[in-house]
Amino acid sequence: EAGVTQFPSHSVIEKGQTVTLRCDPISGHDNLYWYRRVMGKEIKFLLHFVKESKQDESGMPNNRFLAERTGGTYSTLKVQPAELEDSGVYFCASSQATDRGRIGTNSPLHFGNGTRLTVT
Amino acid sequence: AQKITQTQPGMFVQEKEAVTLDCTYDTSDPSYGLFWYKQPSSGEMIFLIYQGSYDQQNATEGRYSLNFQKARKSANLVISASQLGDSAMYFCAMREVGYGGATNKLIFGTGTLLAVQP
């Protein structure tokens, strides 16, 4: 099966511009996540979709970030306007439905290759 | 607050030797899961191994094993018989079972860069 795909792989934009990142999860995965790694720091959770609904967006840094998942398939993450501190690698991940109350291995997160965003 | 700590920013190991990558965690939730991911230079994040907080035995997956010491809150990854292809960044992560059931929100450590030398 095809894995999680992200586009673009790299993006270089100027401060104040807009960038849209796209993620195509593994087919059939209801759960879709966005994570971000700023250089040298840990990977941090941004938000979680279950199908088309935002389950948890507690990690979104501010209102310059907008994530959508129309139809419960692919997702986009828009940064508008971009700031220097937004530079980093943005990862998308997907998983099958989670068994409530269980934390078994049948739903590990499958990550994409990430989008490296550089804001200059 | 929940936290993952990886104290080794970088490690070297000779090919064919075993190496242990350290991971400690902090959580007040009795139910949680621990993961290790590998990130080679190509960028993708590859799931390696999982340990549940109630699992009685240490997890193993091929050359990977997880040394789970619950009382010490550590979940070290052991790679046996290192290969050149094992050179990568390794991330330890924790998933919590929040109120109402399992979530898939992962908390990551800062990672350990492993270099396998021939």
Side-chain angles (χ1 to χ4, degrees):
Chain A
E1 63 178 5
V4 177
T5 57
Q6 292 186 245
F7 181 83
S9 57
H10 294 84
S11 180
V12 180
I13 61 172
E14 293 183 351
K15 176 182 174 181
Q17 290 185 323
T18 298
V19 63
T20 301
L21 314 181
R22 173 171 170 143
C23 169
D24 287 78
I26 294 173
S27 177
H29 281 192
D30 289 340
N31 294 281
L32 186 150
Y33 305 81
W34 285 98
Y35 286 83
R36 176 175 75 170
R37 185 179 189 219
V38 175
M39 184 61 70
K41 298 191 175 180
E42 66 269 25
I43 300 168
K44 286 199 171 180
F45 168 84
L46 296 178
L47 87 158
H48 170 205
F49 283 100
V50 177
K51 297 184 180 179
E52 67 274 11
S53 300
K54 291 178 184 176
Q55 183 77 8
D56 182 352
E57 53 185 328
S58 61
M60 295 288 265
N62 51 61
N63 59 11
R64 295 186 293 103
F65 289 76
L66 175 64
E68 295 179 325
R69 191 181 183 194
T70 306
T73 55
Y74 71 91
S75 174
T76 59
L77 179 64
K78 180 188 287 188
V79 184
Q80 179 182 29
E83 298 290 344
L84 299 178
E85 63 265 24
D86 299 333
S87 296
V89 181
Y90 290 76
F91 290 101
C92 176
S94 71
S95 71
Q96 294 176 330
T98 304
D99 292 334
R100 296 187 68 79
R102 295 178 57 201
I103 48 172
T105 57
N106 55 352
S107 57
L109 268 65
H110 300 268
F111 282 82
N113 287 7
T115 293
R116 182 175 296 278
L117 175 65
T118 302
V119 183
T120 62
Chain B
Q2 298 77 23
K3 187 177 181 181
I4 292 284
T5 301
Q6 293 181 255
T7 58
Q8 306 154 314
M11 290 278 288
F12 289 95
V13 65
Q14 290 293 124
E15 194 178 7
K16 300 181 183 178
E17 293 185 347
V19 63
T20 297
L21 307 184
D22 294 341
C23 173
T24 58
Y25 59 92
D26 189 16
T27 179
S28 57
D29 197 320
S31 298
Y32 52 88
L34 296 157
F35 297 79
W36 278 91
Y37 282 86
K38 171 185 178 182
Q39 186 186 34
S41 57
S42 51
E44 73 267 35
M45 294 276 284
I46 303 167
F47 166 69
L48 295 179
I49 195 167
Y50 167 86
Q51 180 86 42
S53 59
Y54 294 120
D55 292 345
Q56 296 297 312
Q57 294 186 329
N58 287 346
T60 61
E61 288 287 346
R63 294 186 298 110
Y64 303 108
S65 60
L66 201 153
N67 184 3
F68 182 46
Q69 298 188 39
K70 194 170 182 177
R72 298 178 60 183
K73 293 189 175 180
S74 73
N76 298 341
L77 177 69
V78 181
I79 305 174
S80 62
S82 297
Q83 302 172 356
L84 296 178
D86 294 334
S87 295
M89 180 72 83
Y90 288 81
F91 292 98
C92 180
M94 177 171 64
R95 179 172 74 194
E96 299 176 313
V97 178
Y99 177 78
T103 74
N104 250 333
K105 179 178 178 179
L106 294 181
I107 299 168
F108 284 87
T110 51
T112 296
L113 183 60
L114 177 67
V116 180
Q117 298 175 320

